[in-house]
Coordinates of all heavy atoms in Angstrom, one line a residue:
Y224 N -10.7 176.8 -9.9 CA -12.2 176.5 -9.7 C -12.3 175.0 -9.1 O -13.2 174.3 -9.5 CB -12.8 176.5 -11.0 CG -12.9 177.9 -11.7 CD1 -11.9 178.2 -12.6 CD2 -13.8 178.9 -11.4 CE1 -11.9 179.5 -13.2 CE2 -13.7 180.1 -11.9 CZ -12.8 180.4 -12.8 OH -12.8 181.7 -13.4
V225 N -11.4 174.6 -8.3 CA -11.4 173.3 -7.7 C -12.6 173.0 -6.8 O -13.3 172.1 -6.9 CB -10.1 172.9 -7.1 CG1 -9.8 173.9 -5.9 CG2 -10.1 171.5 -6.6
Y226 N -13.0 174.1 -6.0 CA -14.1 173.9 -5.1 C -15.4 174.0 -5.8 O -16.3 173.1 -5.5 CB -14.0 175.0 -4.0 CG -12.7 174.8 -3.0 CD1 -11.9 175.8 -3.1 CD2 -12.8 173.8 -2.3 CE1 -10.7 175.7 -2.1 CE2 -11.6 173.6 -1.4 CZ -10.6 174.5 -1.4 OH -9.6 174.4 -0.5
P227 N -15.7 174.8 -6.8 CA -16.9 174.7 -7.5 C -17.0 173.4 -8.3 O -18.1 172.8 -8.4 CB -16.8 175.8 -8.4 CG -16.0 176.8 -7.7 CD -14.9 176.1 -7.0
F228 N -15.9 172.9 -8.8 CA -15.8 171.7 -9.5 C -16.2 170.5 -8.7 O -16.9 169.6 -9.1 CB -14.4 171.5 -10.2 CG -14.4 170.1 -10.9 CD1 -14.9 170.0 -12.1 CD2 -13.7 169.0 -10.4 CE1 -14.9 168.8 -12.9 CE2 -13.5 167.9 -11.1 CZ -14.1 167.8 -12.4
E229 N -15.6 170.4 -7.5 CA -16.0 169.4 -6.5 C -17.4 169.6 -6.1 O -18.1 168.5 -5.9 CB -15.0 169.4 -5.3 CG -13.6 169.0 -5.7 CD -12.6 169.1 -4.5 OE1 -13.2 169.6 -3.3 OE2 -11.5 168.7 -4.5
L230 N -17.9 170.7 -5.8 CA -19.3 170.9 -5.5 C -20.3 170.4 -6.5 O -21.3 169.7 -6.2 CB -19.6 172.4 -5.2 CG -21.0 172.7 -4.6 CD1 -21.2 171.9 -3.3 CD2 -21.2 174.2 -4.4
A231 N -19.9 170.7 -7.7 CA -20.7 170.2 -8.9 C -20.7 168.7 -8.9 O -21.8 168.0 -9.2 CB -20.3 170.8 -10.2
A232 N -19.6 168.1 -8.7 CA -19.5 166.6 -8.7 C -20.2 166.1 -7.6 O -20.9 164.9 -7.7 CB -17.9 166.2 -8.5
V233 N -20.3 166.6 -6.4 CA -21.1 166.1 -5.3 C -22.5 166.2 -5.6 O -23.3 165.2 -5.3 CB -20.7 166.9 -4.0 CG1 -21.8 166.5 -2.9 CG2 -19.3 166.5 -3.6
L234 N -23.0 167.3 -6.2 CA -24.4 167.5 -6.6 C -24.8 166.5 -7.5 O -25.9 165.9 -7.6 CB -24.6 168.9 -7.1 CG -24.6 170.0 -6.0 CD1 -24.6 171.4 -6.7 CD2 -25.5 169.9 -5.0
L235 N -23.9 166.2 -8.6 CA -24.3 165.2 -9.7 C -24.4 163.8 -9.0 O -25.4 163.0 -9.2 CB -23.3 165.1 -10.7 CG -23.3 166.4 -11.7 CD1 -22.1 166.3 -12.6 CD2 -24.6 166.4 -12.4
L236 N -23.5 163.5 -7.9 CA -23.6 162.2 -7.4 C -24.9 162.0 -6.5 O -25.6 161.1 -6.6 CB -22.4 162.0 -6.4 CG -22.3 160.8 -5.5 CD1 -22.3 159.5 -6.4 CD2 -21.1 160.8 -4.6
V237 N -25.2 163.3 -5.7 CA -26.5 163.1 -5.0 C -27.7 163.0 -6.0 O -28.6 162.2 -5.6 CB -26.6 164.4 -4.1 CG1 -27.9 164.5 -3.5 CG2 -25.5 164.4 -3.1
A238 N -27.7 163.6 -7.2 CA -28.8 163.5 -8.0 C -28.9 161.9 -8.6 O -30.0 161.5 -8.8 CB -28.6 164.5 -9.2
I239 N -27.7 161.4 -8.8 CA -27.8 160.1 -9.3 C -28.3 159.1 -8.2 O -29.3 158.2 -8.5 CB -26.4 159.6 -9.7 CG1 -25.9 160.5 -10.9 CG2 -26.3 158.0 -10.1 CD1 -24.4 160.1 -11.4
V240 N -27.9 159.3 -7.2 CA -28.3 158.4 -5.9 C -30.0 158.6 -5.7 O -30.7 157.8 -5.5 CB -27.5 158.7 -4.7 CG1 -28.2 157.9 -3.5 CG2 -26.2 158.3 -4.9
A241 N -30.3 160.0 -5.8 CA -31.7 160.3 -5.6 C -32.6 159.7 -6.7 O -33.7 159.2 -6.4 CB -31.9 161.8 -5.5
A242 N -32.2 159.7 -8.0 CA -32.8 159.1 -9.1 C -32.9 157.5 -8.9 O -34.0 157.1 -9.1 CB -32.1 159.5 -10.4
I243 N -31.9 157.0 -8.4 CA -32.0 155.5 -8.2 C -33.0 155.2 -7.1 O -33.7 154.3 -7.2 CB -30.6 154.9 -7.9 CG1 -29.6 155.2 -9.1 CG2 -30.7 153.6 -7.5 CD1 -28.2 154.7 -8.9
A244 N -32.9 156.0 -6.0 CA -33.7 155.7 -4.8 C -35.2 156.0 -5.2 O -36.1 155.2 -4.7 CB -33.4 156.6 -3.7
L245 N -35.5 156.9 -6.1 CA -37.0 157.2 -6.4 C -37.4 156.2 -7.4 O -38.6 155.8 -7.4 CB -37.0 158.5 -7.1 CG -36.8 159.8 -6.1 CD1 -36.9 161.1 -7.0 CD2 -37.8 159.8 -5.0
T246 N -36.6 155.6 -8.2 CA -37.1 154.6 -9.2 C -37.0 153.3 -8.7 O -37.5 152.2 -9.3 CB -36.4 154.8 -10.5 OG1 -35.0 154.6 -10.3 CG2 -36.6 156.1 -11.2
L247 N -36.4 153.0 -7.5 CA -36.3 151.6 -7.1 C -37.5 151.1 -6.5 O -38.2 151.7 -5.5 CB -35.2 151.6 -5.9 CG -34.8 150.2 -5.3 CD1 -34.4 149.2 -6.4 CD2 -33.8 150.4 -4.3
R248 N -37.9 150.1 -6.9 CA -39.2 149.4 -6.4 C -38.9 147.9 -6.2 O -38.4 147.2 -6.9 CB -40.2 149.5 -7.4 CG -40.8 150.8 -7.8 CD -41.5 151.6 -6.5 NE -42.0 152.8 -6.9 CZ -41.3 154.0 -6.8 NH1 -40.1 153.9 -6.4 NH2 -41.8 155.1 -7.2
R249 N -39.2 147.6 -4.9 CA -38.9 146.2 -4.4 C -40.1 145.3 -4.8 O -41.2 145.6 -4.6 CB -38.7 146.0 -3.0 CG -37.4 146.7 -2.5 CD -37.2 146.3 -1.1 NE -35.9 146.9 -0.6 CZ -34.7 146.2 -0.7 NH1 -34.8 145.0 -1.3 NH2 -33.6 146.9 -0.2
R250 N -39.8 144.2 -5.6 CA -40.8 143.4 -6.0 C -40.7 142.1 -5.2 O -39.7 141.4 -4.9 CB -40.6 142.9 -7.5 CG -40.7 144.1 -8.5 CD -40.4 143.6 -10.0 NE -41.3 142.5 -10.3 CZ -41.1 141.8 -11.4 NH1 -40.2 142.3 -12.4 NH2 -41.8 140.9 -11.8
K251 N -42.0 141.7 -4.7 CA -42.0 140.4 -3.9 C -41.7 139.1 -4.7 O -41.1 138.2 -4.0 CB -43.4 140.3 -3.3 CG -43.8 141.5 -2.4 CD -45.2 141.3 -1.8 CE -45.5 142.4 -0.9 NZ -46.9 142.4 -0.3
D252 N -41.9 139.1 -5.8 CA -41.7 137.8 -6.6 C -40.2 137.8 -7.3 O -39.9 136.8 -7.9 CB -42.6 137.7 -7.8 CG -42.7 139.0 -8.7 OD1 -42.1 140.0 -8.3 OD2 -43.2 138.8 -9.9
S253 N -39.4 138.8 -7.0 CA -38.1 138.8 -7.6 C -37.1 138.1 -6.5 O -37.4 138.3 -5.3 CB -37.6 140.2 -7.7 OG -37.6 140.9 -6.6
K254 N -36.2 137.3 -7.1 CA -35.2 136.7 -6.2 C -33.9 137.5 -6.1 O -33.4 137.9 -7.3 CB -34.9 135.3 -6.8 CG -36.2 134.4 -6.8 CD -35.8 132.9 -7.4 CE -37.0 132.0 -7.5 NZ -36.7 130.7 -7.9
Y255 N -33.4 137.6 -5.0 CA -32.1 138.3 -4.8 C -31.3 137.7 -3.7 O -31.9 137.0 -2.9 CB -32.5 139.8 -4.5 CG -33.2 140.0 -3.3 CD1 -32.5 140.3 -2.0 CD2 -34.6 140.1 -3.3 CE1 -33.3 140.5 -0.9 CE2 -35.3 140.3 -2.1 CZ -34.6 140.5 -0.9 OH -35.4 140.8 0.2
Q256 N -30.1 138.0 -3.6 CA -29.2 137.5 -2.6 C -28.9 138.5 -1.6 O -28.7 139.7 -2.0 CB -27.9 136.9 -3.3 CG -28.2 135.7 -4.2 CD -26.9 135.3 -4.8 OE1 -25.9 135.9 -4.7 NE2 -27.0 134.1 -5.5
D257 N -28.7 138.1 -0.3 CA -28.3 138.9 0.7 C -26.9 138.7 1.1 O -26.6 137.5 1.7 CB -29.2 138.8 1.9 CG -29.1 139.7 3.0 OD1 -28.1 140.7 2.8 OD2 -29.8 139.9 4.0

């Protein structure tokens, strides 16, 4: 089951990235470094 396992891992990674992208809000008063 190596291919279904890798597919599930990719789906979980995409879900994590999508959750971070949906909840990310840029604040104008926050200081950050480039």
Side-chain angles (χ1 to χ4, degrees):
Y224 300 98
V225 60
Y226 292 116
F228 180 73
E229 292 181 351
L230 181 61
V233 172
L234 290 177
L235 289 176
L236 179 60
V237 171
I239 293 173
V240 175
I243 296 174
L245 290 175
T246 57
L247 182 61
R248 297 291 184 273
R249 291 189 177 274
R250 297 177 53 183
K251 297 181 179 180
D252 56 345
S253 61
K254 297 181 179 180
Y255 62 93
Q256 297 179 352
D257 190 357

